[in-house]
Amino acid sequence: MGTGHVLAFLVIGVALVFLDGWLLRRGGSTYLAAAYPDGAVADSVNQLVTVLFHLTALGVVALLSTVPTGPGDPLIALITRTGVLLLVLAAAHGITVWLLARLRTKQREKTLQEELTARTSEQLDADARSGPA
């Protein structure tokens, strides 16, 4: 596979990674906003997750661009690499969405536990103030 086809694959790969990362970033902020009352915290968590996605996916693009494809037609090699990249991006996208869902669930559980503790504490204080029955 010639330099031109490798460069074409890199351009296609980087464009796909950034498009998918942009979609994750945009949707992730909205998704996490329900669990994190402070929008800045939700945005920061989302940014960390999407940076991880970008770095991992760009690493895969770089590695796939160096995999030898044999002496066959360079166009077929380009299509094959792009197909493999799309499958890997689909898996990475799914893992990222799963990670966002896990973070959201953990934050909701933490908030619920804090609310439960606060209500229990308030109830105990109220009972102590009212004295023995």
Side-chain angles (χ1 to χ4, degrees), residues 7-18:
L7 289 175
F9 173 75
L10 287 172
V11 168
I12 291 168
V14 169
L16 288 171
V17 167
F18 279 104

Side-chain angles (χ1 to χ4, degrees), residues 5-129:
H5 286 92
V6 171
L7 289 175
F9 173 75
L10 287 172
V11 168
I12 291 168
V14 169
L16 288 171
V17 167
F18 279 104
L19 175 64
D20 194 21
W22 177 77
L23 291 170
L24 285 167
R25 177 95 167 99
R26 191 183 78 188
S29 289
T30 305
Y31 187 72
L32 291 175
Y36 292 93
D38 184 359
V41 174
D43 196 48
S44 291
V45 170
N46 188 41
Q47 186 173 5
L48 290 170
V49 171
T50 53
V51 165
L52 177 64
F53 168 82
H54 279 105
L55 292 175
T56 304
L58 289 172
V60 169
V61 169
L63 290 173
L64 281 175
S65 71
T66 64
V67 173
T69 56
D73 184 8
L75 184 59
I76 298 298
L78 176 64
I79 293 169
T80 301
R81 284 182 178 163
T82 304
V84 171
L85 175 63
L86 288 170
L87 292 173
V88 171
L89 280 178
H93 187 96
I95 290 168
T96 304
V97 169
W98 172 81
L99 181 59
L100 289 170
R102 185 173 162 101
L103 289 168
R104 180 180 172 174
T105 300
K106 283 190 174 255
Q107 182 60 31
R108 282 186 167 175
E109 288 172 358
K110 180 183 171 190
T111 303
L112 183 61
Q113 185 62 39
E114 289 171 353
E115 287 177 10
L116 208 63
T117 302
R119 286 184 183 177
T120 303
S121 178
E122 289 173 5
Q123 185 64 39
L124 289 174
D125 288 346
D127 290 346
R129 274 186 255 125

